[in-house]
Amino acid sequence: DKELRKYLLGYSLPVHGDRKTQVNRLKEFVHHYNARIDSGNPITFKEASSKVVREEKIRAAAQSSGVHKIEKEKEHMLFSELIADVKRRKL
């Protein structure tokens, strides 16, 4: 568990939650980070960790408020990512 917390802290990920939650958080981070590297458009650890945290918040909101709000936040998140990608390309 100490090693898992070390990894989470090293990637700027939250360390709260049970072991299963922490493992899933780290897996999601690795998935997002590696997918962007494979796509040829890499992101920083901080960007990947921010994405994981945002998605966790969206899932938590879904459990408490319903599907419609989740879809709207998901659309907003995807749109924000598209805008960020376009801005990076201009640089």
Side-chain angles (χ1 to χ4, degrees), residues 1 5-8 14-15 18 23-24 26 28 30 37-38 41 46 50 87 89 91:
D1 283 353
R5 284 177 167 256
K6 180 180 165 186
Y7 278 111
L8 291 169
V15 294
D18 60 6
V23 169
N24 286 336
L26 186 58
E28 277 191 58
V30 170
I37 288 175
D38 291 344
N41 191 12
K46 187 68 177 169
S50 293
K87 287 180 179 178
R89 289 181 198 156
L91 300 176

Side-chain angles (χ1 to χ4, degrees), residues 29-90:
F29 170 83
V30 170
H31 171 75
H32 287 301
Y33 186 76
N34 287 342
R36 290 298 293 268
I37 288 175
D38 291 344
S39 74
N41 191 12
I43 57 176
T44 65
F45 287 157
K46 187 68 177 169
E47 290 170 315
S49 64
S50 293
K51 185 171 184 174
V52 169
V53 170
R54 278 193 316 267
E55 289 177 356
E56 272 188 21
K57 287 180 182 177
I58 290 171
R59 279 193 301 276
Q63 291 176 348
S64 65
S65 67
V67 177
H68 181 67
K69 184 176 180 181
I70 292 174
E71 291 301 321
K72 187 175 181 179
E73 288 185 14
K74 202 174 192 180
E75 281 182 25
H76 178 72
M77 184 177 74
L78 291 172
F79 185 70
S80 296
E81 288 176 13
L82 286 172
I83 289 173
D85 285 345
V86 170
K87 287 180 179 178
R88 272 191 232 111
R89 289 181 198 156
K90 287 184 178 181

Side-chain angles (χ1 to χ4, degrees), residues 9-20:
L9 289 172
Y11 296 125
S12 301
L13 292 165
V15 294
H16 65 274
D18 60 6
R19 180 170 173 71
K20 183 179 177 183

